[in-house]
Amino acid sequence: MRENGSMNAKLTLGPVLFNWKPDVWRDFYFRIADEADVDTVYVGEAVCSKRSPFYAPHIVDVIERLQGAGKEVIVSTLALIMNSREMNELRDTAGDHDLMVEANDVSACALLAGRPHAIGPYVNIYNEGTLKYFTDRGATRICLPVELGRDAMTALTKDTPAELEVQVFGRLPLAISARCYHARAHMLHKDNCQFVCEKDPDGLEVETLDHEPFLAVNGVQTMSHSYQNLSAELAEMQTLGIQHFRLSPHSVDMVAVADTYRKVLNRALSTEEADEQLQDLIGDVAFSNGYYHGAKGVDFVLTEPH
């Protein structure tokens, strides 16, 4: 039972954004099914369609294992559709009515219009008018863009039928491109990338010319170097009307990450203790929460411990 008014708070696990080896990817989801206290799990390739064939042999088993453990499963789509093959795959996914689908591209939103679906953080929903446009067309759950802060969340939670979700842990997806930065960093072309992104299970870290941590590269995706950590903001977001809190998978112990966030939601762990546990899990990487507080995204704004 959820405690202290947290009954309506749902903990979700976003799709794996990195190029993990297929058996690692499968075993990760099997462990999530068996051990992680999360309500919803997103499964599917959101970054690069060239990775999808490696996971295809395991996807049915993964979904069945998650559902058997009582998890809600949502299928995520690509964040950028660039050719007819990807469009055909998107049509196949959208045409499957057995599972809810998360649209990460406006073309997916169009294909899913008229039936209940989710929308991921890659679709630019920054104001009430845009939010209403998508909810009128069937969106029932929306993971807000990562740049939105508390004031924008306050405005968007008013008078919307959709359940709103916010990423509270993990590197932030900042941009996606037709170019593969990962391949270029290894002097390779995108069409012959040799899947070098699998060498960096949490993304390829990028430094400035002054050797300061800057960003992370994940194939065609640009991410924050820091890990978003909104454990201290969970209680306030619940009062705003946010109902779903997303953990983005990394190669750290995500079962332990989920346990920490669940305890904070249940008021069984202070945010100060949570931050200490999370820092131990991720190692020597900085936290950030600046976007939420209207500051620079890379900043980590300290709040009063509670």
Side-chain angles (χ1 to χ4, degrees):
M1 177 180 292
R2 311 291 185 240
E3 301 171 2
N4 299 326
S6 63
M7 285 287 292
N8 294 326
K10 304 294 183 182
L11 202 56
T12 73
L13 187 74
V16 173
L17 299 178
F18 306 101
N19 185 15
W20 292 354
K21 293 183 182 299
D23 57 338
V24 173
W25 184 89
R26 176 202 61 205
D27 292 347
F28 169 79
Y29 279 113
F30 281 2
R31 183 172 182 235
I32 292 298
D34 297 343
E35 302 178 33
D37 187 5
V38 296
D39 301 286
T40 301
V41 180
Y42 294 81
V43 175
E45 182 54 52
V47 177
C48 178
S49 65
K50 293 175 69 176
R51 303 171 182 175
S52 299
F54 296 103
Y55 304 135
H58 305 298
I59 189 74
V60 172
D61 290 340
V62 163
I63 291 174
E64 289 180 350
R65 183 80 161 252
L66 290 165
Q67 290 178 325
K71 269 72 169 172
E72 177 190 28
V73 177
I74 297 178
V75 178
S76 295
T77 66
L78 283 172
L80 182 62
I81 306 298
M82 291 183 284
N83 54 51
S84 58
R85 175 181 57 82
E86 293 173 351
M87 193 66 206
N88 289 333
E89 291 177 358
L90 175 59
R91 289 192 181 97
D92 289 341
T93 301
D96 186 348
H97 290 250
D98 291 336
L99 291 171
M100 180 175 280
V101 177
E102 178 188 61
N104 284 308
D105 177 88
V106 291
S107 57
C109 296
L111 289 172
L112 294 165
R115 58 183 266 211
H117 61 276
I119 294 180
Y122 302 94
V123 178
N124 295 335
I125 298 177
Y126 294 133
N127 57 58
E128 300 94 321
T130 308
L131 179 63
K132 185 176 187 303
Y133 174 87
F134 286 110
T135 56
D136 285 349
R137 283 154 181 79
T140 57
R141 184 181 307 176
I142 294 171
C143 187
L144 297 175
V146 298
E147 309 97 310
L148 292 188
R150 173 176 48 210
D151 292 345
M153 292 180 194
T154 302
L156 291 174
T157 53
K158 294 178 180 178
D159 302 321
T160 178
E163 298 178 348
L164 299 185
E165 184 170 341
V166 171
Q167 179 178 326
V168 297
F169 175 83
R171 283 189 161 140
L172 297 176
L174 300 177
I176 198 139
S177 169
R179 295 180 180 271
C180 182
Y181 306 112
H182 231 121
R184 178 162 292 197
H186 291 271
M187 305 301 291
L188 296 168
H189 295 289
K190 181 181 178 182
D191 291 340
N192 185 32
C193 66
Q194 300 177 30
F195 300 97
V196 293
C197 51
E198 73 175 9
K199 297 180 179 179
D200 302 292
D202 294 302
L204 173 64
E205 297 185 357
V206 178
E207 295 180 343
T208 67
L209 293 176
D210 296 323
H211 305 291
E212 295 292 330
F214 182 44
L215 297 168
V217 167
N218 172 36
V220 297
Q221 184 179 56
T222 303
M223 311 184 78
S224 65
H225 183 277
S226 59
Y227 281 46
Q228 172 102 301
N229 173 18
L230 295 181
S231 62
E233 290 75 19
L234 291 177
E236 182 178 54
M237 283 190 286
Q238 285 180 261
T239 66
L240 298 180
I242 305 298
Q243 296 164 282
H244 301 265
F245 301 96
R246 178 178 295 208
L247 313 175
S248 189
H250 288 269
S251 63
V252 302
D253 186 346
M254 291 302 300
V255 171
V257 171
D259 180 67
T260 297
Y261 275 89
R262 179 63 76 190
K263 286 178 178 176
V264 176
L265 284 173
N266 288 348
R267 316 297 193 264
L269 186 72
S270 72
T271 55
E272 189 175 43
E273 292 171 315
D275 287 352
E276 291 177 0
Q277 291 183 10
L278 293 169
Q279 193 68 70
D280 287 343
L281 289 168
I282 71 171
D284 190 23
V285 184
F287 287 139
S288 60
N289 62 6
Y291 282 133
Y292 181 84
H293 294 280
K296 292 180 293 185
V298 71
D299 289 349
F300 187 61
V301 179
L302 293 176
T303 59
E304 290 295 325
H306 58 276

